[in-house]
Amino acid sequence: MDFDFDSEQILLRDNIRRYMRNKVSPRIDDCEKEKRIPLDLLAGITQFGYIGGMLPEKDGGLELDFITWAMMLEEVGYFWGSLRTIVNTTNIFMRLVSQYGTEDQKTHFLEPVMASLKSTAVAISEPNHGSNPAGIETRADDKGDHYLLNGSKLWITNGLSADYVIVLARTYSGTSDGGHSLFLLDKSETPIEAKLVDKMVLRASGTSELTLDNVQIPKSQMLGTEGSALKTMGIGLNYGRLNIAMGAVGAAQAALDMSVEYAKNRKQFGKPIGQFQLVQKHIVDMMVRTEAARALGYKAAAAMQKGLPSRVECSIAKLYAAEAAHEVAKLALAVHGGLGYSTEYPLERIFRDTAGGVIPEGTAEIQTLIVGREVLGMSAII
C-alpha cells in the first residue's frame, strides 16, 4: 500500500514543521503552566487547515483528503499532544455542526469557530459513564419553548475556556422517553458552572467538569433530530480514533528523534552511548514500534478515504499506536537516563502525554472488544 506524499503534501508538511518549531514550540511551557491554549495560537495554525480543513467548501472548509489529514495530525502530535487534542475537539464540534446543523446554527456556532474567534468543547462523558455513552444520566426535559438540562459532565476537553459546547443528554418529551439528543450551548447566553480538572497528562487541554443545573436551552439549539445522537456520535468515532493514532505516531517519532540525537552525542566510558548494544536495542525497538504504528495509521486513513466502514482499521490503529507511543517514550527515558525526567526537557511531557492516549475515544480495552466483535462476529460488550 503506497502512502508516499506528493509534492503539495511535502510542501505543506515542511511549512507546518517550520511554523510549529518557530511559533508554537516557544509557547508550550507557558500554556502548560496556564493549563489552556489561547485562541490566537489556534488562529495561527488555521492557515494550514487544522481548523475545519476537513469540512466541505460550502461551510468554509478545504475538503482535505484523509491521508493529508493524517499527516497533519502526525505533525502536530510530534510537537505537542495538548494542541493535537484541542484540534481534535474543535474539529469534532465543527463536523457535527456542519453535518447536522441548520443554517442558523451554522451562522451562530460554526462561522466564528472557523474564524478562530470562539473556542469549543464536546460534553459527553460523565462521572459514572465514560466508555458507555448510552448510559449517561444528564437529562433534558421538554418545557414547551425550551429544554431544561440537568446533570454533570466530566473529562471535558477545553470545557473551562470553551465559548460553545455540544452537550449529550437524554431527552424527555411527548415524543421521547430518554432518547439521546445533542444540544448547542453558547456560554455567553447560557452560563454553566465549569471547574478545571488538574491532571497528569495533556495539561494545556483544559480538561474540566461541567455542571448543568436547570440550564435552559432553546429548542432551536437542538443539534440534529431528537433521539438520534448515539448514531450521530458513532459515525464520528473513526475521526477521533484516527486523530489519536496519528498524534501518537508523531509523539513516538519525537521521542525517537530525541533519543537518536542523544545517543550520538552523550558519552560514557569514553565513547558515545549509541555504541552500547543495549542502547542500540532500545533505539531499534523504538523505531519498529513507531514504523508499525505509522503504517497502521495511514492504512486506517486510506480506508476512510475510500469510504469504507473503517471501524476495524481505526480501532486497531488507535489501540496499537497509543500503546506503542507510550512504550517508545518509556524506552526514550531509558536512553536519556536522569535527563529524561527533567521538566526542563520535553521528553518528560511526552512520556506523560502518551500515557493519556490509551483512554480517549474508547479505551484500549474497548478497542480490543470492538476488533474482537468484528473478527469473531460475537460481541463481548453487553
Side-chain angles (χ1 to χ4, degrees):
M1 196 172 291
D2 184 10
F3 302 132
D4 287 340
F5 300 145
D6 60 30
S7 58
E8 291 186 3
Q9 290 169 322
I10 292 172
L11 178 62
L12 175 61
R13 181 197 65 190
D14 292 346
N15 286 336
I16 289 172
R17 286 181 180 178
R18 188 177 305 109
Y19 186 88
M20 291 287 182
R21 186 173 293 110
N22 295 332
K23 300 295 185 180
V24 174
S25 290
R27 300 183 61 182
I28 292 177
D29 287 344
D30 286 342
C31 290
E32 290 278 305
K33 292 174 184 176
E34 295 171 2
K35 297 181 174 59
R36 61 183 294 269
I37 294 177
L39 271 173
D40 72 284
L41 204 154
L42 289 180
I45 63 173
T46 298
Q47 61 184 300
F48 304 112
Y50 277 110
I51 307 302
M54 294 290 287
L55 297 185
E57 290 184 0
K58 66 181 179 66
D59 289 328
L62 302 175
E63 297 188 8
L64 294 171
D65 64 90
F66 281 99
I67 298 296
T68 299
W69 184 240
M71 177 271 292
M72 292 168 60
L73 296 173
E74 179 179 351
E75 293 303 317
V76 70
Y78 184 98
F79 287 93
W80 193 9
S82 286
L83 182 57
R84 192 274 313 157
T85 301
I86 296 296
V87 166
N88 184 35
T89 294
T90 304
N91 281 281
I92 289 174
F93 181 99
M94 299 179 78
R95 185 191 61 79
L96 288 170
V97 178
S98 172
Q99 192 165 352
Y100 301 103
T102 65
E103 290 306 312
D104 286 344
Q105 288 173 343
K106 290 180 183 180
T107 299
H108 186 144
F109 292 97
L110 186 59
E111 292 179 7
V113 179
M114 183 70 76
S116 295
L117 298 175
K118 300 290 184 179
S119 61
T120 67
V122 179
I124 300 174
S125 298
E126 298 183 358
N128 295 323
H129 303 281
S131 296
N132 179 27
I136 66 161
E137 300 170 32
T138 298
R139 59 184 293 147
D141 291 286
D142 188 347
K143 296 297 182 181
D145 62 345
H146 67 274
Y147 284 95
L148 199 64
L149 270 64
N150 284 279
S152 179
K153 297 294 183 179
L154 188 60
W155 310 117
I156 308 306
T157 298
N158 202 43
L160 190 67
S161 301
D163 300 291
Y164 302 151
V165 184
I166 289 177
V167 178
L168 177 65
R170 304 181 74 129
T171 44
Y172 294 89
S173 67
T175 54
S176 176
D177 184 21
H180 296 73
S181 304
L182 296 175
F183 297 88
L184 287 159
L185 188 152
D186 182 340
K187 287 203 296 188
S188 68
E189 299 175 352
T190 313
I192 61 174
E193 181 182 345
K195 178 183 177 182
L196 185 70
V197 177
D198 201 4
K199 62 190 191 308
M200 178 180 73
V201 303
L202 303 168
R203 289 178 174 169
S205 63
T207 303
S208 304
E209 179 180 8
L210 306 180
T211 300
L212 299 109
D213 184 11
N214 288 329
V215 173
Q216 295 187 25
I217 300 291
K219 286 197 168 179
S220 61
Q221 288 176 210
M222 176 181 283
L223 180 61
T225 57
E226 187 180 58
S228 64
L230 288 184
K231 181 179 179 180
T232 298
M233 297 299 299
I235 293 172
L237 287 175
N238 287 342
Y239 288 78
R241 288 167 183 163
L242 179 66
N243 182 297
I244 291 179
M246 295 310 303
V249 171
Q253 187 65 55
L256 173 58
D257 288 349
M258 292 176 195
S259 298
V260 169
E261 183 68 18
Y262 188 76
K264 288 180 177 179
N265 293 286
R266 173 65 168 172
K267 292 185 178 180
Q268 286 289 300
F269 305 103
K271 59 182 180 181
I273 65 171
Q275 290 186 16
F276 300 147
Q277 291 179 352
L278 288 179
V279 171
Q280 290 198 5
K281 175 69 164 57
H282 287 336
I283 296 292
V284 172
D285 285 348
M286 294 165 70
M287 185 172 183
V288 170
R289 286 170 170 79
T290 303
E291 289 296 327
R294 179 176 287 113
L296 289 170
Y298 281 110
K299 181 180 179 182
M304 294 183 73
Q305 184 62 32
K306 293 176 182 177
L308 300 175
S310 311
R311 288 185 300 274
V312 171
E313 291 86 351
C314 289
S315 287
I316 290 175
K318 194 267 182 182
L319 171 63
Y320 182 83
E323 293 188 335
H326 192 53
E327 291 169 2
V328 169
K330 183 178 179 180
L331 289 170
L333 287 180
V335 172
H336 283 79
L339 180 63
Y341 294 95
S342 171
T343 57
E344 301 297 319
Y345 197 64
L347 184 55
E348 179 268 346
R349 171 171 47 81
I350 292 174
F351 179 76
R352 287 187 292 98
D353 284 353
T354 54
V358 298
I359 295 176
E361 306 297 341
T363 64
E365 292 79 9
I366 290 295
Q367 304 310 316
T368 300
L369 295 179
I370 290 171
V371 177
R373 180 181 61 198
E374 297 294 329
V375 172
L376 296 170
M378 296 180 285
S379 179
I381 306 174
I382 298 174

